[in-house]
Amino acid sequence: MTEKLAAKNWNAEQLEDWLINRVAQLLEQPADDIDPDMPFNSLGLDSINVMDLIVEIDDLLGIEIESTIVWDYPTIHLLSEYVATLVKG
């Protein structure tokens, strides 16, 4: 998948790009078809898919995010911006 990088190397734009591409893979759609401002469920992801994404972000960045965070940040764009604040050094 994606090589694990130091958390400080990721910004909101990079996280958003990674999430767009990952969601596109899950949905078997082109990344250009993924709207980062649409809620995860509107994109076609179920709660299990979204929880799996959170675990992947945890592993990718070496951090731990509460799985319920998607209630507060329900889109790729909002989640990316929030996670970027967690990894700023």
Side-chain angles (χ1 to χ4, degrees), residues 12-46:
E13 184 178 328
Q14 292 167 317
L15 289 166
E16 184 172 303
D17 288 344
W18 182 86
L19 272 169
I20 288 170
N21 286 307
R22 189 65 189 108
V23 168
Q25 287 176 338
L26 288 171
L27 299 176
E28 298 179 353
Q29 296 179 6
D32 291 342
D33 291 349
I34 305 300
D35 182 348
D37 293 313
M38 285 185 67
F40 290 109
N41 62 341
S42 295
L43 291 171
L45 296 175
D46 61 26

